[in-house]
């Protein structure tokens, strides 16, 4: 676990613990990455031994950690404390890593800015006037500002990769099902995966190797044959070598900074000896509409459980149970979440399912087949993550509709169930740009391989707000 050397033991030695706390006290007020920060509480849940002993990490507030709050960035879960811990978190705690806190996010994972959280705004460590991206913006900002070496997030349509790109770090969306979702609050169940934000490729790989694998408590989790354990995984995958990289071509509608960086990235990959060729993703224009049909449909069902009765926000007064539920939901959910529940019930309403939901499912199958076709020609795909760099908070930024249209590149991997890795590719106009690599299912190792070589040529850079002595 050499990539964590500087962080090992940090929280288990009282002296370094104090200097860590001082660093966070200085940085966090300007970034706002955390909804709850409590390393003392975290220490109680971790093994004092293991490869990651005393290494701090942060957890998106959509994953359960016993004793910590679990709000999903929503008022409707205000005050709720989790009675149990997600499998992914437990695996890291067993390796000695310490949860220092829960990170800010767009409410229930719905957004691309982290500005729709009920609790606070998260600022980009490269420029606080800009968003960190979303929905795992708190996790990405915590890593980019040097408060933690890695953090967990969730990715339903790009929520790990997009904030990673905005903050200049790595963001992995694993193959659907490869990481347990026990303890992950559901947004859209056929798309949700737990992902990793980290400061280096090596860290991303090591954390992925630790958290992956079948979990008896999650029926949808699975294991690639012959890859049981960290060694098995590396052994099975180490002999495949990437030669051909297909970059998504055509009129992609990229901002000039992203466009320039996209050209440069292709040239760097070519100079590293890869065969870099254009590919056409014929279904590209359907990704966002199909994603928003399926994701809102599933969200409307998943979010039916928040009634104000069993947990979370409860209105002061109600005449009867119906009114209690109505008030809890109207006061507890934010605008974006309400919009999506309405959209979801609209596409599922009786008599019209064939027009929207089932049609979206058929197009989703066609999208998968299109990726199968492309992976006959190339080993991995290079694509933009987002058409812009980190945008400004509020009305100077992108409105909610523009943000949805901009999800056209990331939603593909979720719809197809394939792994994708967002990696930093230098700066344009002083802000980071990130691109993503996509591979066939179980192809994570191929992504790491290319990203590792790319980092030798274009090393990741530290954000101005990152003065951490450990990163
Ligand atoms: N931006 C997308 C959305 O708003 C992605 C969210 C996610 O991956 N959780 O739905």
């Amino acid at each position: 676990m050499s990539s964590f050397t500087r962080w090992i033991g940090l929280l288990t030695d009282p002296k370094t613990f104090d200097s860590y706390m001082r660093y966070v006290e200085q940085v966090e007020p300007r970034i706002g990455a955390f909804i709850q920060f409590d390393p003392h509480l975290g220490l109680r849940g971790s093994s004092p031994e293991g490869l990651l002993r005393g290494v701090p990490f942060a957890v998106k507030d959509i994953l359960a950690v016993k004793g910590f709050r679990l709000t999903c960035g929503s008022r409707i879960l205000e005050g709720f404390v989790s009675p149990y811990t997600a499998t992914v978190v437990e695996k890291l705690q067993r390796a000695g890593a310490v949860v220092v806190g829960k990170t800010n996010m767009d409410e229930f994972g719905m957004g691309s800015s982290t500005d729709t959280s009920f609790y606070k705004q998260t600022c980009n460590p490269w420029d606080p006037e800009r968003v960190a991206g979303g929905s795992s913006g708190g996790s990405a900002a915590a890593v980019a500002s040097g408060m933690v070496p890695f953090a967990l997030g969730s990715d339903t349509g790009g929520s790990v990769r997009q904030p990673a790109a905005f903050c200049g770090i790595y963001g992995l969306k694993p193959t659907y099902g490869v990481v347990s979702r026990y303890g992950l609050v559901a947004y859209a169940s056929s798309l949700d995966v737990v992902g990793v934000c980290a400061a280096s490729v090596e860290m991303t790989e090591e954390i992925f190797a630790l958290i992956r694998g079948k979990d008896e408590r999650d029926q949808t989790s699975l294991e690639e044959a012959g890859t049981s354990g960290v060694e098995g995984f590396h052994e099975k995958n180490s002999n495949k070598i990437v030669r051909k990289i297909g970059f998504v071509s055509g009129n992609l509608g990229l901002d000039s900074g992203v466009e320039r960086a996209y050209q440069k990235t292709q040239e760097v990959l070519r100079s590293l000896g890869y065969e870099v060729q254009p590919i056409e993703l014929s279904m590209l224009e359907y990704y966002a509409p199909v994603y928003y049909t399926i994701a809102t449909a599933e969200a409307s069902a998943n979010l039916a459980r928040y009634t104000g009765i069993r947990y979370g926000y409860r209105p002061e007064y109600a005449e009867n149970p119906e009114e209690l539920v109505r008030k809890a939901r109207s006061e507890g959910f934010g605008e974006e979440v309400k919009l999506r529940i309405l959209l979801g019930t609209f596409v599922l309403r009786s008599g019209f399912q064939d027009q929207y939901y089932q049609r979206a499912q058929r197009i989703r199958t066609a999208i998968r087949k299109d990726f199968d076709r492309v992976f006959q020609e190339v080993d991995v795909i290079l694509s933009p993550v987002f058409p812009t760099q980190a945008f400004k908070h509020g009305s100077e930024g992108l409105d909610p509709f523009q943000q949805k249209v901009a999800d056209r590149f990331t939603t593909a991997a979720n719809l197809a169930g394939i792994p994708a890795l967002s990696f930093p590719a230098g700066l344009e106009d002083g802000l980071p740009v990130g691109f993503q690599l996509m591979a066939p299912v179980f192809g994570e190792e191929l992504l790491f391989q290319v990203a590792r070589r790319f980092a030798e040529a274009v090393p990741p850079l530290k954000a101005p707000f990152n003065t951490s002595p450990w990163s």
Side-chain angles (χ1 to χ4, degrees):
M1 289 274 162
S2 55
S3 54
F4 289 97
T5 320
R6 283 201 292 274
W7 297 88
I8 289 170
L10 192 62
L11 298 188
T12 38
D13 177 333
K15 262 195 250 119
T16 46
F17 184 92
D18 287 345
S19 56
Y20 176 73
M21 293 301 272
R22 277 197 300 278
Y23 178 69
V24 174
E25 274 159 28
Q26 172 207 326
V27 174
E28 169 61 5
R30 293 188 279 175
I31 301 297
F34 289 95
I35 290 178
Q36 183 182 14
F37 183 78
D38 191 347
H40 288 285
L41 177 60
L43 270 169
R44 279 186 241 149
S46 294
S47 154
E49 278 143 52
L51 293 165
L52 297 179
R53 66 191 172 280
V55 174
F57 75 107
V59 180
K60 185 180 185 178
D61 204 15
I62 196 169
L63 280 156
V65 185
K66 191 176 172 176
F68 278 88
R69 259 169 261 166
L70 179 54
T71 71
C72 298
S74 182
R75 184 187 199 189
I76 210 155
L77 282 169
E78 201 174 15
F80 180 71
V81 173
S82 176
Y84 73 104
T85 299
T87 299
V88 275
V89 173
E90 219 172 72
K91 285 181 168 186
L92 294 164
Q93 289 176 322
R94 248 185 271 134
V98 181
V99 177
V100 292
K102 305 298 295 290
T103 56
N104 200 21
M105 56 182 283
D106 283 305
E107 190 177 357
F108 285 105
M110 300 174 181
S112 304
S113 63
T114 305
D115 280 353
T116 73
S117 166
F118 173 69
Y119 299 95
K120 55 161 67 172
Q121 198 169 61
T122 297
C123 297
N124 193 305
W126 290 83
D127 175 0
E129 282 182 13
R130 293 174 190 272
V131 302
S135 63
S136 313
S139 287
V143 172
S145 58
M147 293 191 277
V148 289
F150 76 95
L152 296 177
S154 65
D155 193 311
T156 305
S159 279
V160 163
R161 288 163 283 156
Q162 188 255 18
F166 279 15
C167 292
I169 59 160
Y170 293 86
L172 173 70
K173 175 242 173 265
T175 302
Y176 182 78
V178 157
V179 178
S180 167
R181 297 189 295 184
Y182 177 78
L184 170 71
V185 177
Y187 163 10
S189 308
S190 75
L191 303 158
D192 293 340
V193 287
V194 174
V196 182
C197 292
S200 72
V201 193
E202 290 76 14
M203 285 177 180
T204 315
E205 274 192 84
E206 286 169 26
I207 299 306
F208 174 63
L210 279 169
I211 63 174
R212 70 192 302 279
K214 186 163 177 55
D215 178 9
E216 291 308 322
R217 294 182 294 187
D218 173 3
Q219 297 284 320
T220 62
S221 68
L222 41 91
E223 187 113 53
E224 187 187 6
T227 58
S228 183
V230 177
E231 284 82 30
F233 173 70
H234 285 299
E235 210 173 295
K236 167 128 188 179
N237 290 291
S238 56
N239 43 16
K240 291 184 205 151
I241 289 180
V242 175
R243 290 200 171 80
K244 284 191 194 165
I245 300 176
F247 67 90
V248 179
S249 65
N251 184 4
L252 304 179
L254 306 177
D255 268 15
S256 57
V258 179
E259 179 64 49
R260 274 197 307 278
Y262 196 39
Q263 302 295 337
K264 286 185 203 162
T265 300
Q266 291 163 26
E267 279 155 33
V268 170
L269 290 169
R270 238 174 238 124
S271 73
L272 290 169
Y274 292 110
E275 241 177 81
V276 180
Q277 61 187 67
I279 52 146
E280 194 85 44
L281 289 176
S282 57
M283 305 294 290
L284 183 66
E285 64 183 299
Y286 294 100
Y287 299 161
V290 165
Y291 167 79
Y292 276 99
T293 307
I294 294 172
T296 55
E298 293 181 10
S300 71
N302 278 327
L303 269 56
R305 70 187 59 149
Y306 304 103
T307 55
I309 293 171
R310 278 192 297 175
Y311 34 65
Y313 176 77
R314 180 177 284 216
E316 291 273 304
Y317 176 81
E319 287 285 339
N320 51 51
E322 286 75 31
E323 190 181 308
L324 175 77
V325 175
R326 185 159 41 77
K327 276 190 164 175
R329 289 172 72 83
S330 4
E331 293 164 17
F333 288 136
E335 291 302 305
E336 183 63 32
V337 173
K338 284 181 195 161
L339 169 75
R340 302 223 187 171
I341 292 172
L342 287 173
L343 277 173
T345 44
F346 176 83
V347 299
L348 287 177
R349 79 196 188 285
S350 80
F352 291 87
Q353 290 181 354
D354 201 47
Q355 224 172 71
Y356 301 103
Y357 187 69
Q358 281 160 23
R359 182 176 294 181
Q361 292 293 6
R362 284 194 291 274
I363 304 175
R364 184 178 185 176
T365 305
I367 291 170
R368 285 205 176 131
K369 288 195 179 137
D370 192 45
F371 273 105
D372 290 345
R373 171 188 64 79
V374 175
F375 286 127
Q376 300 284 310
E377 297 161 28
V378 297
D379 302 313
V380 299
I381 296 171
L382 173 74
S383 134
V385 169
F386 207 75
T388 73
Q389 294 171 272
F391 50 87
K392 291 209 167 140
H393 294 289
S395 55
E396 280 183 79
L398 299 187
D399 69 34
F401 183 73
Q402 291 171 318
Q403 288 183 37
K404 291 183 182 69
V405 176
D407 283 341
R408 60 186 177 274
F409 301 115
T410 46
T411 46
N414 303 79
L415 290 166
I418 58 177
L421 175 71
S422 167
F423 62 97
L427 303 183
E428 292 294 334
D429 307 318
L431 288 173
V433 188
F435 293 103
Q436 60 173 341
L437 293 160
M438 294 183 270
V441 286
F442 297 123
E444 281 84 354
E445 171 58 29
L446 306 180
L447 308 177
F448 298 140
Q449 215 183 92
V450 178
R452 242 184 274 132
R453 295 214 47 217
F454 186 84
E456 285 166 24
V458 183
L461 298 166
K462 264 197 190 188
F465 277 79
N466 182 355
T467 53
S468 154
W470 310 287
S471 60

